[in-house]
Amino acid sequence: MDEKKVIFSGIQPSGDLTLGSYMGAIKNWVELSEDYNCYYCIVDMHAITVRQVPADLRRRTLEQLAQYIAAGIDPTKNTIFIQSHVPAHAELAWILNCYTMFGELSRMTQFKDKAAKNSDNINAGLFTYPALMAADILLYQADLVPVGDDQRQHVEITRDIANRFNGIYGDVFKLPEVYNPKVGARIMSLTSPENKMSKSDKDKGGCIYIMQSPDDIMRCFKRAVTDSDTWVHYDPENKKGVSNLMQIYAVATGKSFETIESEFTGRGYGDFKTAVGEAVVELLRPVREKASKLIADKAYLESVYKEGAERAAYAANKTLRKVYKKVGFVGK
Ligand code: TRP
């Protein structure tokens, strides 16, 4: 197990998990979980950089854990845990804050976006978010970080911080790299396919959730935006809606774009949208059913997150002890 490369990734429990997070992240995590030593985290500390309703945050954190497992991540082979359960994240984040520059944080596009969206709550945590994310990754000496393009800049700043620290104190941190999955699925909104499918999307019909009922899912797909011709053809520049539906169908069924095109030649978009909806319903059905059972089994979930936190803390504390020593703290 120790020779395996280390993977770290996390999702914020700031909204219910979507088809986008399933196809773009979790499905890939499952595939990686056999060959790598994976840490999959529920980053609740990042979530509170934006105001949350406490009861919702708690519920979504547990649901997210259940959904990770239901999607196929085996908690006995990988470490699934809740960020706030491992104090080393907060502890290293503080230290890294002191090696992260105001200027570089000011250039983070996610900070600028979120500050614009939450202009009444531009708190220091939102600003130093990347230092906490760097702590997440560096604590585990992760080799690879599977994230979408919107998080690339955060992995780059993680490397910059690690480099700066290593430059002063010697080799303490492994420099992580972004992991690009073979089939990167970037799923767009069903109603505004120029935007990423997002749990914070104002338009509810644009986003599919893992736990959504089959009827609701079908309704959303039937209303999905297409275009004014009738050709099921992959052209993400000019046919954004149709291409997004093809991408979803391809991930759900494993079919190639050519196969899909010929399957729907001479058939209308109505048929096509129904087929995509049905494929998604069948893809998500086992995940939803298993997750619902797990959510009801509080004792089991508790055993998973406790064991996860214990394993994570063991690895994280090793790095943290080294860091404490390097910066000149007196050992306990
Ligand atoms: N910032 C990531 C996001 O919003 C979530 C995250 C936090 C993360 N810590 C991480 C992702 C560490 C990868 C590795 O999507």
Side-chain angles (χ1 to χ4, degrees), residues 90-210:
E91 292 165 329
L92 183 62
W94 173 254
I95 295 180
L96 296 182
N97 266 319
C98 304
Y99 297 82
T100 306
M101 300 302 137
F102 181 86
E104 59 190 345
L105 290 174
S106 311
R107 286 192 292 275
M108 292 289 118
T109 48
Q110 181 170 291
F111 171 70
K112 289 190 259 184
D113 288 351
K114 287 197 178 174
K117 276 191 203 141
N118 303 280
S119 56
D120 54 341
N121 183 22
I122 308 177
N123 61 75
L126 190 63
F127 188 61
T128 62
Y129 180 114
L132 177 59
M133 180 155 161
D136 296 343
I137 297 167
L138 299 175
L139 277 172
Y140 301 92
Q141 307 289 350
D143 297 278
L144 298 168
V145 184
V147 284
D149 282 341
D150 61 325
Q151 295 298 316
R152 248 171 206 285
Q153 201 184 21
H154 286 157
V155 179
E156 271 154 32
I157 196 177
T158 298
R159 289 172 62 92
D160 292 341
I161 297 166
N163 245 325
R164 184 172 300 135
F165 197 94
N166 287 352
I168 305 170
Y169 302 106
D171 273 348
V172 177
F173 297 124
K174 164 113 19 111
L175 297 189
E177 275 169 42
V178 169
Y179 177 86
N180 286 309
K182 277 164 273 148
V183 275
R186 188 171 146 81
I187 305 302
M188 313 304 277
S189 159
L190 299 187
T191 47
S192 47
E194 57 285 352
N195 301 319
K196 194 173 139 180
M197 182 179 281
S198 160
K199 52 197 172 192
S200 49
D201 202 338
K202 296 277 171 301
D203 184 354
K204 286 286 163 263
C207 184
I208 302 290
Y209 296 92
I210 295 185

Side-chain angles (χ1 to χ4, degrees), residues 32-328:
L32 296 168
S33 68
E34 290 295 320
D35 301 327
Y36 295 87
N37 178 14
C38 301
Y39 291 87
Y40 294 134
C41 188
I42 300 167
V43 290
D44 54 349
M45 289 159 66
H46 278 109
I48 63 161
T49 56
V50 171
R51 200 70 74 229
Q52 303 290 333
V53 176
D56 290 347
L57 182 63
R58 201 171 290 121
R59 170 184 59 77
R60 284 193 306 253
T61 300
L62 292 172
E63 284 179 6
Q64 198 165 309
L65 177 72
Q67 288 165 25
Y68 282 7
I69 303 165
I73 299 168
D74 180 345
T76 64
K77 291 195 193 137
N78 299 277
T79 307
I80 312 182
F81 70 106
I82 299 169
Q83 187 184 31
S84 63
H85 288 182
V86 181
H89 289 250
E91 292 165 329
L92 183 62
W94 173 254
I95 295 180
L96 296 182
N97 266 319
C98 304
Y99 297 82
T100 306
M101 300 302 137
F102 181 86
E104 59 190 345
L105 290 174
S106 311
R107 286 192 292 275
M108 292 289 118
T109 48
Q110 181 170 291
F111 171 70
K112 289 190 259 184
D113 288 351
K114 287 197 178 174
K117 276 191 203 141
N118 303 280
S119 56
D120 54 341
N121 183 22
I122 308 177
N123 61 75
L126 190 63
F127 188 61
T128 62
Y129 180 114
L132 177 59
M133 180 155 161
D136 296 343
I137 297 167
L138 299 175
L139 277 172
Y140 301 92
Q141 307 289 350
D143 297 278
L144 298 168
V145 184
V147 284
D149 282 341
D150 61 325
Q151 295 298 316
R152 248 171 206 285
Q153 201 184 21
H154 286 157
V155 179
E156 271 154 32
I157 196 177
T158 298
R159 289 172 62 92
D160 292 341
I161 297 166
N163 245 325
R164 184 172 300 135
F165 197 94
N166 287 352
I168 305 170
Y169 302 106
D171 273 348
V172 177
F173 297 124
K174 164 113 19 111
L175 297 189
E177 275 169 42
V178 169
Y179 177 86
N180 286 309
K182 277 164 273 148
V183 275
R186 188 171 146 81
I187 305 302
M188 313 304 277
S189 159
L190 299 187
T191 47
S192 47
E194 57 285 352
N195 301 319
K196 194 173 139 180
M197 182 179 281
S198 160
K199 52 197 172 192
S200 49
D201 202 338
K202 296 277 171 301
D203 184 354
K204 286 286 163 263
C207 184
I208 302 290
Y209 296 92
I210 295 185
M211 300 304 279
Q212 218 169 346
S213 74
D215 283 354
D216 272 3
I217 295 177
M218 288 308 294
R219 198 168 311 122
C220 291
F221 275 100
K222 284 185 180 146
R223 287 187 193 148
V225 166
T226 48
D227 50 46
S228 54
D229 51 47
T230 53
W231 186 27
V232 175
H233 169 65
Y234 192 73
D235 177 355
E237 275 307 302
N238 302 306
K239 294 171 74 71
K240 288 198 167 62
V242 169
S243 301
N244 184 41
L245 292 171
M246 285 181 75
Q247 172 79 70
I248 294 171
Y249 193 59
V251 177
T253 61
K255 292 177 184 170
S256 69
F257 291 144
E258 295 91 77
T259 309
I260 299 170
E261 284 192 27
S262 51
E263 183 177 346
F264 293 98
T265 348
R267 292 166 68 186
Y269 284 158
D271 262 14
F272 173 54
K273 292 202 272 189
T274 303
V276 182
E278 281 167 356
V280 168
V281 165
E282 290 321 313
L283 178 76
L284 295 182
R285 186 189 302 282
V287 182
R288 174 174 44 92
E289 288 176 354
K290 179 145 191 228
S292 309
K293 285 204 189 96
L294 292 174
I295 289 163
D297 192 348
K298 294 276 181 294
Y300 171 71
L301 288 182
E302 188 179 325
S303 73
V304 170
Y305 68 63
K306 282 199 165 152
E307 201 184 306
E310 221 168 275
R311 272 210 302 264
Y314 181 81
N317 286 333
K318 242 202 249 177
T319 302
L320 188 68
R321 274 197 300 275
K322 219 179 196 177
V323 170
Y324 272 28
K325 206 162 161 189
K326 292 286 188 186
V327 299

